[in-house]
């Protein structure tokens, strides 16, 4: 059975190739989109078991003077070196070693966690850093994508799992994240990272129920919101010699309900933690404060089956039972009374939601996401979070990845700008970087890459490149 092109290992690397463009790239679009995701799934004849375990590959799309230049490069990590020697290591669902590296330090101080940082990127203290949920980070050169050094914070916050999503609040010039500490009383440590610092400043620590597997969070200008889903990490299961990665350590316990933790950014006080009906959440859209109510928008699933649907065995088989659709949901949390109202924003299936960067932590109207409820492809959906109206773009056999809206600096409306996303056409076996009008979703420009890319996860657009110089690892 053929491998789906989106989950096929890529061997080639390209350096700063100018792409032939159809259409017009807006003159104001200047900057670099750097994306992260798995690029290699097969090591010495053995295939990883879960999509999340492919080796990290960075992808760079540079926009300047109406042109697009493209690069891709694997991170030269310990995990990459293991693969070069024919050893497959994982961290989510492939083998015991990758995940046990997270757990063993609790019991015996044995080896450090995997450094396969394949989930996201961030700029921290002028360094560009690749991130994953294991507590290791790898810096890279944003111009060449060459691996530099392992990035280390200068603080002493204990972390056994950590946030790959750091919320970038440009108004307050800081990144917000959280880390999970296991132990007799597990805790979540919530922290901020000032722009010009490599020291995390602890905002507070909150006792965990479980703890839970959490992937993302939201911030308002005054609050941080965590969603503690009832997908519990079992400490007892870590002792099972037959467990194969984090998935075997997770237990879906819907009777617990889902806990919404609201923390004041300035004081660190936990001001609300209502429990609502159980659901599973990967990604948040955004949050903002409206009088005494926090508006929290996110993508929600009825349970955690979406994780099983990402097993390579199902993905490779072009499964007739596709992954369940996530739906956009709004929670209104009254911080005075603790009451919560839940309402769907739309019944359209979507994932990987993004809003324009200037709206992060403030009132947002539009979110752009991968349209998931189409057969034979994924499209682009624009959701008006005020009205629930949607606008969609879709073409047969085309799978669009995470869309990133970039606002026109000279625009006036909330949807003035463009949306950038790579798109894989499985019938043509080619990947194209697409530029859509953010208002109409009409295609403004497209450029074919020199190879088909495997599906990636997340990325950021950097309007300017500021970096420190470090030795690179070839």
């Amino acid at each position: 059975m053929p491998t789906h092109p989106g989950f096929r290992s890529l061997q080639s690397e390209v350096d700063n190739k100018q792409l032939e463009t159809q259409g017009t790239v807006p003159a104001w679009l200047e900057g670099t989109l750097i994306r992260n995701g798995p690029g290699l799934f097969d090591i010495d004849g053995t295939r990883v078991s879960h999509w999340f375990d492919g080796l990290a590959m960075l992808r760079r799309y540079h926009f300047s003077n109406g042109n697009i230049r493209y690069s891709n490069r694997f991170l030269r990590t310990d995990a990459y070196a293991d693969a070069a020697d024919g050893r497959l290591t994982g961290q989510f669902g492939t083998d015991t070693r990758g995940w046990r590296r997270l757990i063993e330090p609790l019991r015996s101080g044995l080896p450090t966690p995997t450094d396969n940082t394949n989930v996201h990127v961030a700029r921290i203290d002028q360094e560009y850093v690749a991130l994953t949920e294991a507590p290791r980070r790898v810096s890279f050169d944003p111009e060449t994508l060459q691996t530099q050094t392992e990035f280390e914070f200068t603080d002493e916050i204990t972390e056994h799992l950590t946030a790959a999503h750091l919320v970038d609040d440009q108004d307050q010039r800081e990144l917000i994240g959280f880390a999970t500490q296991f132990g007799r009383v597990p805790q979540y440590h919530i922290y901020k990272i000032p722009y010009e610092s490599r020291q995390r400043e602890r905002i507070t620590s909150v006792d965990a129920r479980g703890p839970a597997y959490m992937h993302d969070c939201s911030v308002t200008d005054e609050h941080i919101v965590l969603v503690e889903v009832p997908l519990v990490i079992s400490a007892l299961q870590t002792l099972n010699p037959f467990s194969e990665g984090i998935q075997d350590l997770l237990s879906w316990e819907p009777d617990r309900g889902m806990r919404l933790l609201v923390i004041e950014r300035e004081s660190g006080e936990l001001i609300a933690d209502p429990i609502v009906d159980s659901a599973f959440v990967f990604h948040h859209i955004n949050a903002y404060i409206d009088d005494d109510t926090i508006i929290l928008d996110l993508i929600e699933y009825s349970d955690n089956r979406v994780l099983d649907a990402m097993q390579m065995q199902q993905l490779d088989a072009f499964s007739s039972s596709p992954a369940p659709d996530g739906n956009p949901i709004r929670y209104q949390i009254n911080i005075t009374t603790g009451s919560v109202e839940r309402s769907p924003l739309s019944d359209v299936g979507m994932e990987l939601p993004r809003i324009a960067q200037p709206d992060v932590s403030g009132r947002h109207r539009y979110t752009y996401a991968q349209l998931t409820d189409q057969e034979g492809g994924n499209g682009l959906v624009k959701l008006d979070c005020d009205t629930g109206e949607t606008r969609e773009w879709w073409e047969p056999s085309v799978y669009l990845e995470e869309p990133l809206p970039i606002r026109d600096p000279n625009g006036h409306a909330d949807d003035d700008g463009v949306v950038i996303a790579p798109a894989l056409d499985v019938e043509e076996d080619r990947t194209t970087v697409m530029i859509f009008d953010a208002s109409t979703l009409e295609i403004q420009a497209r450029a074919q890459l020199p190879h088909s890319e495997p599906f990636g996860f997340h990325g950021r657009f950097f309007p300017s490149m500021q970096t420190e110089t470090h030795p690179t690892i070839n």
Side-chain angles (χ1 to χ4, degrees), residues 285-315:
I285 295 173
N286 190 44
Y288 62 89
I289 187 73
D290 184 11
D291 293 329
D292 60 353
T293 299
I294 289 176
I295 309 299
L296 171 67
D297 292 347
L298 44 75
I299 303 297
E300 189 175 277
Y301 299 83
S302 59
D303 55 35
N304 68 319
R305 286 177 298 159
V306 64
L307 288 175
D308 294 330
M310 295 177 185
Q311 294 279 358
M312 295 303 293
Q313 185 175 7
Q314 293 196 45
L315 297 173

PDB file of all heavy atoms in Angstrom, residues 285-315:
ATOM      1  N   ILE A 285      -7.763  29.327  20.202  1.00  0.00           N
ATOM      2  CA  ILE A 285      -7.816  30.410  19.227  1.00  0.00           C
ATOM      3  C   ILE A 285      -7.286  31.694  19.854  1.00  0.00           C
ATOM      4  O   ILE A 285      -6.319  32.272  19.381  1.00  0.00           O
ATOM      5  CB  ILE A 285      -9.258  30.606  18.708  1.00  0.00           C
ATOM      6  CG1 ILE A 285      -9.706  29.355  17.928  1.00  0.00           C
ATOM      7  CG2 ILE A 285      -9.348  31.853  17.824  1.00  0.00           C
ATOM      8  CD1 ILE A 285     -11.170  29.373  17.518  1.00  0.00           C
ATOM      9  N   ASN A 286      -7.884  32.103  20.968  1.00  0.00           N
ATOM     10  CA  ASN A 286      -7.457  33.321  21.663  1.00  0.00           C
ATOM     11  C   ASN A 286      -8.391  33.521  22.842  1.00  0.00           C
ATOM     12  O   ASN A 286      -9.404  32.833  22.997  1.00  0.00           O
ATOM     13  CB  ASN A 286      -7.531  34.533  20.728  1.00  0.00           C
ATOM     14  CG  ASN A 286      -6.881  35.777  21.314  1.00  0.00           C
ATOM     15  OD1 ASN A 286      -5.793  35.717  21.877  1.00  0.00           O
ATOM     16  ND2 ASN A 286      -7.561  36.917  21.195  1.00  0.00           N
ATOM     17  N   ALA A 287      -8.046  34.482  23.693  1.00  0.00           N
ATOM     18  CA  ALA A 287      -8.912  34.881  24.799  1.00  0.00           C
ATOM     19  C   ALA A 287      -8.804  36.387  24.978  1.00  0.00           C
ATOM     20  O   ALA A 287      -7.779  36.996  24.644  1.00  0.00           O
ATOM     21  CB  ALA A 287      -8.526  34.164  26.098  1.00  0.00           C
ATOM     22  N   TYR A 288      -9.875  36.988  25.503  1.00  0.00           N
ATOM     23  CA  TYR A 288      -9.842  38.412  25.844  1.00  0.00           C
ATOM     24  C   TYR A 288     -10.843  38.664  26.958  1.00  0.00           C
ATOM     25  O   TYR A 288     -11.718  37.829  27.247  1.00  0.00           O
ATOM     26  CB  TYR A 288     -10.111  39.301  24.626  1.00  0.00           C
ATOM     27  CG  TYR A 288     -11.464  39.129  23.981  1.00  0.00           C
ATOM     28  CD1 TYR A 288     -12.560  39.878  24.401  1.00  0.00           C
ATOM     29  CD2 TYR A 288     -11.641  38.241  22.923  1.00  0.00           C
ATOM     30  CE1 TYR A 288     -13.806  39.742  23.797  1.00  0.00           C
ATOM     31  CE2 TYR A 288     -12.880  38.099  22.311  1.00  0.00           C
ATOM     32  CZ  TYR A 288     -13.961  38.850  22.750  1.00  0.00           C
ATOM     33  OH  TYR A 288     -15.187  38.691  22.149  1.00  0.00           O
ATOM     34  N   ILE A 289     -10.720  39.812  27.609  1.00  0.00           N
ATOM     35  CA  ILE A 289     -11.589  40.170  28.720  1.00  0.00           C
ATOM     36  C   ILE A 289     -12.657  41.136  28.237  1.00  0.00           C
ATOM     37  O   ILE A 289     -12.376  42.065  27.480  1.00  0.00           O
ATOM     38  CB  ILE A 289     -10.776  40.773  29.884  1.00  0.00           C
ATOM     39  CG1 ILE A 289     -11.647  41.000  31.113  1.00  0.00           C
ATOM     40  CG2 ILE A 289     -10.043  42.023  29.454  1.00  0.00           C
ATOM     41  CD1 ILE A 289     -12.033  39.746  31.850  1.00  0.00           C
ATOM     42  N   ASP A 290     -13.901  40.903  28.636  1.00  0.00           N
ATOM     43  CA  ASP A 290     -15.035  41.760  28.299  1.00  0.00           C
ATOM     44  C   ASP A 290     -15.777  42.051  29.604  1.00  0.00           C
ATOM     45  O   ASP A 290     -16.527  41.211  30.094  1.00  0.00           O
ATOM     46  CB  ASP A 290     -15.937  41.059  27.283  1.00  0.00           C
ATOM     47  CG  ASP A 290     -17.087  41.939  26.807  1.00  0.00           C
ATOM     48  OD1 ASP A 290     -17.065  43.155  27.107  1.00  0.00           O
ATOM     49  OD2 ASP A 290     -18.020  41.411  26.165  1.00  0.00           O
ATOM     50  N   ASP A 291     -15.526  43.229  30.196  1.00  0.00           N
ATOM     51  CA  ASP A 291     -16.035  43.573  31.531  1.00  0.00           C
ATOM     52  C   ASP A 291     -15.524  42.551  32.536  1.00  0.00           C
ATOM     53  O   ASP A 291     -14.324  42.416  32.709  1.00  0.00           O
ATOM     54  CB  ASP A 291     -17.564  43.674  31.522  1.00  0.00           C
ATOM     55  CG  ASP A 291     -18.055  44.850  30.702  1.00  0.00           C
ATOM     56  OD1 ASP A 291     -17.329  45.868  30.637  1.00  0.00           O
ATOM     57  OD2 ASP A 291     -19.142  44.758  30.110  1.00  0.00           O
ATOM     58  N   ASP A 292     -16.414  41.786  33.183  1.00  0.00           N
ATOM     59  CA  ASP A 292     -15.966  40.792  34.165  1.00  0.00           C
ATOM     60  C   ASP A 292     -16.023  39.378  33.596  1.00  0.00           C
ATOM     61  O   ASP A 292     -16.059  38.396  34.345  1.00  0.00           O
ATOM     62  CB  ASP A 292     -16.807  40.875  35.441  1.00  0.00           C
ATOM     63  CG  ASP A 292     -18.292  40.623  35.177  1.00  0.00           C
ATOM     64  OD1 ASP A 292     -18.691  40.524  33.992  1.00  0.00           O
ATOM     65  OD2 ASP A 292     -19.054  40.523  36.162  1.00  0.00           O
ATOM     66  N   THR A 293     -16.008  39.261  32.273  1.00  0.00           N
ATOM     67  CA  THR A 293     -16.103  37.954  31.624  1.00  0.00           C
ATOM     68  C   THR A 293     -14.921  37.729  30.696  1.00  0.00           C
ATOM     69  O   THR A 293     -14.556  38.596  29.904  1.00  0.00           O
ATOM     70  CB  THR A 293     -17.409  37.850  30.818  1.00  0.00           C
ATOM     71  OG1 THR A 293     -18.525  37.982  31.698  1.00  0.00           O
ATOM     72  CG2 THR A 293     -17.508  36.510  30.100  1.00  0.00           C
ATOM     73  N   ILE A 294     -14.317  36.549  30.819  1.00  0.00           N
ATOM     74  CA  ILE A 294     -13.262  36.147  29.901  1.00  0.00           C
ATOM     75  C   ILE A 294     -13.892  35.382  28.752  1.00  0.00           C
ATOM     76  O   ILE A 294     -14.640  34.415  28.963  1.00  0.00           O
ATOM     77  CB  ILE A 294     -12.213  35.279  30.614  1.00  0.00           C
ATOM     78  CG1 ILE A 294     -11.393  36.136  31.587  1.00  0.00           C
ATOM     79  CG2 ILE A 294     -11.281  34.606  29.605  1.00  0.00           C
ATOM     80  CD1 ILE A 294     -10.401  35.366  32.401  1.00  0.00           C
ATOM     81  N   ILE A 295     -13.598  35.808  27.547  1.00  0.00           N
ATOM     82  CA  ILE A 295     -14.046  35.120  26.340  1.00  0.00           C
ATOM     83  C   ILE A 295     -12.905  34.228  25.885  1.00  0.00           C
ATOM     84  O   ILE A 295     -11.822  34.712  25.536  1.00  0.00           O
ATOM     85  CB  ILE A 295     -14.424  36.111  25.229  1.00  0.00           C
ATOM     86  CG1 ILE A 295     -15.403  37.174  25.749  1.00  0.00           C
ATOM     87  CG2 ILE A 295     -14.978  35.376  24.020  1.00  0.00           C
ATOM     88  CD1 ILE A 295     -16.712  36.616  26.248  1.00  0.00           C
ATOM     89  N   LEU A 296     -13.137  32.926  25.905  1.00  0.00           N
ATOM     90  CA  LEU A 296     -12.123  31.945  25.522  1.00  0.00           C
ATOM     91  C   LEU A 296     -12.638  31.151  24.333  1.00  0.00           C
ATOM     92  O   LEU A 296     -13.637  30.448  24.430  1.00  0.00           O
ATOM     93  CB  LEU A 296     -11.829  31.004  26.697  1.00  0.00           C
ATOM     94  CG  LEU A 296     -10.953  29.781  26.397  1.00  0.00           C
ATOM     95  CD1 LEU A 296      -9.530  30.212  26.038  1.00  0.00           C
ATOM     96  CD2 LEU A 296     -10.937  28.816  27.578  1.00  0.00           C
ATOM     97  N   ASP A 297     -11.939  31.251  23.202  1.00  0.00           N
ATOM     98  CA  ASP A 297     -12.298  30.502  22.000  1.00  0.00           C
ATOM     99  C   ASP A 297     -11.243  29.441  21.749  1.00  0.00           C
ATOM    100  O   ASP A 297     -10.031  29.709  21.820  1.00  0.00           O
ATOM    101  CB  ASP A 297     -12.392  31.429  20.790  1.00  0.00           C
ATOM    102  CG  ASP A 297     -13.566  32.400  20.870  1.00  0.00           C
ATOM    103  OD1 ASP A 297     -14.443  32.197  21.739  1.00  0.00           O
ATOM    104  OD2 ASP A 297     -13.612  33.348  20.066  1.00  0.00           O
ATOM    105  N   LEU A 298     -11.686  28.233  21.430  1.00  0.00           N
ATOM    106  CA  LEU A 298     -10.772  27.126  21.199  1.00  0.00           C
ATOM    107  C   LEU A 298     -11.399  26.103  20.263  1.00  0.00           C
ATOM    108  O   LEU A 298     -12.582  26.203  19.917  1.00  0.00           O
ATOM    109  CB  LEU A 298     -10.352  26.484  22.528  1.00  0.00           C
ATOM    110  CG  LEU A 298     -11.421  26.213  23.591  1.00  0.00           C
ATOM    111  CD1 LEU A 298     -12.284  25.025  23.227  1.00  0.00           C
ATOM    112  CD2 LEU A 298     -10.775  25.988  24.953  1.00  0.00           C
ATOM    113  N   ILE A 299     -10.603  25.128  19.851  1.00  0.00           N
ATOM    114  CA  ILE A 299     -11.088  24.013  19.033  1.00  0.00           C
ATOM    115  C   ILE A 299     -11.256  22.800  19.942  1.00  0.00           C
ATOM    116  O   ILE A 299     -10.326  22.424  20.658  1.00  0.00           O
ATOM    117  CB  ILE A 299     -10.106  23.676  17.900  1.00  0.00           C
ATOM    118  CG1 ILE A 299      -9.856  24.912  17.030  1.00  0.00           C
ATOM    119  CG2 ILE A 299     -10.653  22.525  17.058  1.00  0.00           C
ATOM    120  CD1 ILE A 299     -11.063  25.437  16.304  1.00  0.00           C
ATOM    121  N   GLU A 300     -12.432  22.210  19.890  1.00  0.00           N
ATOM    122  CA  GLU A 300     -12.793  21.185  20.869  1.00  0.00           C
ATOM    123  C   GLU A 300     -13.228  19.898  20.178  1.00  0.00           C
ATOM    124  O   GLU A 300     -13.870  19.918  19.133  1.00  0.00           O
ATOM    125  CB  GLU A 300     -13.930  21.732  21.746  1.00  0.00           C
ATOM    126  CG  GLU A 300     -14.279  20.881  22.944  1.00  0.00           C
ATOM    127  CD  GLU A 300     -15.323  21.565  23.811  1.00  0.00           C
ATOM    128  OE1 GLU A 300     -14.945  22.420  24.642  1.00  0.00           O
ATOM    129  OE2 GLU A 300     -16.526  21.265  23.647  1.00  0.00           O
ATOM    130  N   TYR A 301     -12.873  18.769  20.824  1.00  0.00           N
ATOM    131  CA  TYR A 301     -13.307  17.434  20.410  1.00  0.00           C
ATOM    132  C   TYR A 301     -14.105  16.808  21.540  1.00  0.00           C
ATOM    133  O   TYR A 301     -13.896  17.128  22.707  1.00  0.00           O
ATOM    134  CB  TYR A 301     -12.105  16.537  20.106  1.00  0.00           C
ATOM    135  CG  TYR A 301     -11.222  17.022  18.981  1.00  0.00           C
ATOM    136  CD1 TYR A 301     -10.230  17.972  19.214  1.00  0.00           C
ATOM    137  CD2 TYR A 301     -11.368  16.530  17.689  1.00  0.00           C
ATOM    138  CE1 TYR A 301      -9.411  18.421  18.188  1.00  0.00           C
ATOM    139  CE2 TYR A 301     -10.552  16.968  16.659  1.00  0.00           C
ATOM    140  CZ  TYR A 301      -9.585  17.911  16.918  1.00  0.00           C
ATOM    141  OH  TYR A 301      -8.782  18.353  15.900  1.00  0.00           O
ATOM    142  N   SER A 302     -14.962  15.869  21.190  1.00  0.00           N
ATOM    143  CA  SER A 302     -15.765  15.218  22.227  1.00  0.00           C
ATOM    144  C   SER A 302     -14.924  14.302  23.110  1.00  0.00           C
ATOM    145  O   SER A 302     -15.249  14.077  24.275  1.00  0.00           O
ATOM    146  CB  SER A 302     -16.917  14.426  21.606  1.00  0.00           C
ATOM    147  OG  SER A 302     -16.418  13.433  20.718  1.00  0.00           O
ATOM    148  N   ASP A 303     -13.824  13.760  22.557  1.00  0.00           N
ATOM    149  CA  ASP A 303     -12.934  12.891  23.335  1.00  0.00           C
ATOM    150  C   ASP A 303     -11.566  12.905  22.672  1.00  0.00           C
ATOM    151  O   ASP A 303     -11.292  13.733  21.798  1.00  0.00           O
ATOM    152  CB  ASP A 303     -13.502  11.467  23.446  1.00  0.00           C
ATOM    153  CG  ASP A 303     -13.807  10.842  22.098  1.00  0.00           C
ATOM    154  OD1 ASP A 303     -13.057  11.108  21.124  1.00  0.00           O
ATOM    155  OD2 ASP A 303     -14.802  10.106  21.968  1.00  0.00           O
ATOM    156  N   ASN A 304     -10.696  11.977  23.073  1.00  0.00           N
ATOM    157  CA  ASN A 304      -9.303  12.003  22.622  1.00  0.00           C
ATOM    158  C   ASN A 304      -9.024  11.062  21.448  1.00  0.00           C
ATOM    159  O   ASN A 304      -7.870  10.750  21.169  1.00  0.00           O
ATOM    160  CB  ASN A 304      -8.380  11.639  23.786  1.00  0.00           C
ATOM    161  CG  ASN A 304      -8.533  10.193  24.226  1.00  0.00           C
ATOM    162  OD1 ASN A 304      -9.657   9.675  24.295  1.00  0.00           O
ATOM    163  ND2 ASN A 304      -7.440   9.533  24.539  1.00  0.00           N
ATOM    164  N   ARG A 305     -10.044  10.629  20.729  1.00  0.00           N
ATOM    165  CA  ARG A 305      -9.819   9.688  19.631  1.00  0.00           C
ATOM    166  C   ARG A 305      -8.944  10.274  18.531  1.00  0.00           C
ATOM    167  O   ARG A 305      -8.343   9.532  17.749  1.00  0.00           O
ATOM    168  CB  ARG A 305     -11.163   9.265  19.025  1.00  0.00           C
ATOM    169  CG  ARG A 305     -11.965   8.281  19.889  1.00  0.00           C
ATOM    170  CD  ARG A 305     -13.298   8.000  19.237  1.00  0.00           C
ATOM    171  NE  ARG A 305     -14.091   9.222  19.123  1.00  0.00           N
ATOM    172  CZ  ARG A 305     -15.098   9.363  18.266  1.00  0.00           C
ATOM    173  NH1 ARG A 305     -15.418   8.385  17.433  1.00  0.00           N
ATOM    174  NH2 ARG A 305     -15.782  10.514  18.234  1.00  0.00           N
ATOM    175  N   VAL A 306      -8.874  11.600  18.449  1.00  0.00           N
ATOM    176  CA  VAL A 306      -8.056  12.213  17.411  1.00  0.00           C
ATOM    177  C   VAL A 306      -6.589  11.794  17.536  1.00  0.00           C
ATOM    178  O   VAL A 306      -5.880  11.681  16.526  1.00  0.00           O
ATOM    179  CB  VAL A 306      -8.204  13.753  17.465  1.00  0.00           C
ATOM    180  CG1 VAL A 306      -7.661  14.318  18.771  1.00  0.00           C
ATOM    181  CG2 VAL A 306      -7.516  14.410  16.274  1.00  0.00           C
ATOM    182  N   LEU A 307      -6.115  11.515  18.761  1.00  0.00           N
ATOM    183  CA  LEU A 307      -4.731  11.064  18.938  1.00  0.00           C
ATOM    184  C   LEU A 307      -4.514   9.703  18.297  1.00  0.00           C
ATOM    185  O   LEU A 307      -3.477   9.464  17.662  1.00  0.00           O
ATOM    186  CB  LEU A 307      -4.386  11.013  20.425  1.00  0.00           C
ATOM    187  CG  LEU A 307      -4.210  12.352  21.133  1.00  0.00           C
ATOM    188  CD1 LEU A 307      -3.999  12.137  22.615  1.00  0.00           C
ATOM    189  CD2 LEU A 307      -3.045  13.129  20.537  1.00  0.00           C
ATOM    190  N   ASP A 308      -5.467   8.802  18.456  1.00  0.00           N
ATOM    191  CA  ASP A 308      -5.348   7.476  17.841  1.00  0.00           C
ATOM    192  C   ASP A 308      -5.380   7.577  16.323  1.00  0.00           C
ATOM    193  O   ASP A 308      -4.727   6.801  15.625  1.00  0.00           O
ATOM    194  CB  ASP A 308      -6.470   6.565  18.328  1.00  0.00           C
ATOM    195  CG  ASP A 308      -6.380   6.247  19.808  1.00  0.00           C
ATOM    196  OD1 ASP A 308      -5.242   6.218  20.327  1.00  0.00           O
ATOM    197  OD2 ASP A 308      -7.422   6.045  20.449  1.00  0.00           O
ATOM    198  N   ALA A 309      -6.151   8.531  15.804  1.00  0.00           N
ATOM    199  CA  ALA A 309      -6.255   8.690  14.350  1.00  0.00           C
ATOM    200  C   ALA A 309      -4.947   9.155  13.729  1.00  0.00           C
ATOM    201  O   ALA A 309      -4.790   9.084  12.507  1.00  0.00           O
ATOM    202  CB  ALA A 309      -7.372   9.672  14.023  1.00  0.00           C
ATOM    203  N   MET A 310      -4.000   9.625  14.552  1.00  0.00           N
ATOM    204  CA  MET A 310      -2.720  10.095  14.040  1.00  0.00           C
ATOM    205  C   MET A 310      -1.637   9.027  14.096  1.00  0.00           C
ATOM    206  O   MET A 310      -0.461   9.311  13.849  1.00  0.00           O
ATOM    207  CB  MET A 310      -2.283  11.345  14.801  1.00  0.00           C
ATOM    208  CG  MET A 310      -3.208  12.521  14.564  1.00  0.00           C
ATOM    209  SD  MET A 310      -2.742  13.977  15.517  1.00  0.00           S
ATOM    210  CE  MET A 310      -4.099  15.079  15.115  1.00  0.00           C
ATOM    211  N   GLN A 311      -2.029   7.777  14.413  1.00  0.00           N
ATOM    212  CA  GLN A 311      -1.086   6.677  14.311  1.00  0.00           C
ATOM    213  C   GLN A 311      -0.706   6.481  12.849  1.00  0.00           C
ATOM    214  O   GLN A 311      -1.550   6.566  11.955  1.00  0.00           O
ATOM    215  CB  GLN A 311      -1.704   5.385  14.856  1.00  0.00           C
ATOM    216  CG  GLN A 311      -1.993   5.403  16.344  1.00  0.00           C
ATOM    217  CD  GLN A 311      -0.763   5.125  17.178  1.00  0.00           C
ATOM    218  OE1 GLN A 311       0.324   4.877  16.649  1.00  0.00           O
ATOM    219  NE2 GLN A 311      -0.917   5.158  18.492  1.00  0.00           N
ATOM    220  N   MET A 312       0.559   6.229  12.575  1.00  0.00           N
ATOM    221  CA  MET A 312       1.015   6.100  11.206  1.00  0.00           C
ATOM    222  C   MET A 312       0.303   4.965  10.479  1.00  0.00           C
ATOM    223  O   MET A 312       0.056   5.059   9.269  1.00  0.00           O
ATOM    224  CB  MET A 312       2.526   5.883  11.170  1.00  0.00           C
ATOM    225  CG  MET A 312       3.333   7.063  11.692  1.00  0.00           C
ATOM    226  SD  MET A 312       3.013   8.633  10.844  1.00  0.00           S
ATOM    227  CE  MET A 312       3.664   8.282   9.229  1.00  0.00           C
ATOM    228  N   GLN A 313      -0.056   3.923  11.176  1.00  0.00           N
ATOM    229  CA  GLN A 313      -0.746   2.800  10.530  1.00  0.00           C
ATOM    230  C   GLN A 313      -2.059   3.257   9.888  1.00  0.00           C
ATOM    231  O   GLN A 313      -2.419   2.814   8.795  1.00  0.00           O
ATOM    232  CB  GLN A 313      -1.009   1.698  11.555  1.00  0.00           C
ATOM    233  CG  GLN A 313      -1.609   0.441  10.958  1.00  0.00           C
ATOM    234  CD  GLN A 313      -1.747  -0.668  11.978  1.00  0.00           C
ATOM    235  OE1 GLN A 313      -1.520  -0.469  13.173  1.00  0.00           O
ATOM    236  NE2 GLN A 313      -2.103  -1.849  11.516  1.00  0.00           N
ATOM    237  N   GLN A 314      -2.765   4.161  10.572  1.00  0.00           N
ATOM    238  CA  GLN A 314      -4.004   4.679  10.014  1.00  0.00           C
ATOM    239  C   GLN A 314      -3.733   5.720   8.936  1.00  0.00           C
ATOM    240  O   GLN A 314      -4.393   5.740   7.888  1.00  0.00           O
ATOM    241  CB  GLN A 314      -4.875   5.284  11.116  1.00  0.00           C
ATOM    242  CG  GLN A 314      -5.401   4.269  12.117  1.00  0.00           C
ATOM    243  CD  GLN A 314      -6.553   4.841  12.927  1.00  0.00           C
ATOM    244  OE1 GLN A 314      -7.442   5.467  12.391  1.00  0.00           O
ATOM    245  NE2 GLN A 314      -6.508   4.618  14.238  1.00  0.00           N
ATOM    246  N   LEU A 315      -2.774   6.583   9.176  1.00  0.00           N
ATOM    247  CA  LEU A 315      -2.487   7.625   8.209  1.00  0.00           C
ATOM    248  C   LEU A 315      -1.968   7.042   6.902  1.00  0.00           C
ATOM    249  O   LEU A 315      -2.330   7.507   5.815  1.00  0.00           O
ATOM    250  CB  LEU A 315      -1.470   8.606   8.788  1.00  0.00           C
ATOM    251  CG  LEU A 315      -1.928   9.384  10.022  1.00  0.00           C
ATOM    252  CD1 LEU A 315      -0.767  10.198  10.586  1.00  0.00           C
ATOM    253  CD2 LEU A 315      -3.106  10.298   9.706  1.00  0.00           C
TER     254      LEU A 315
END
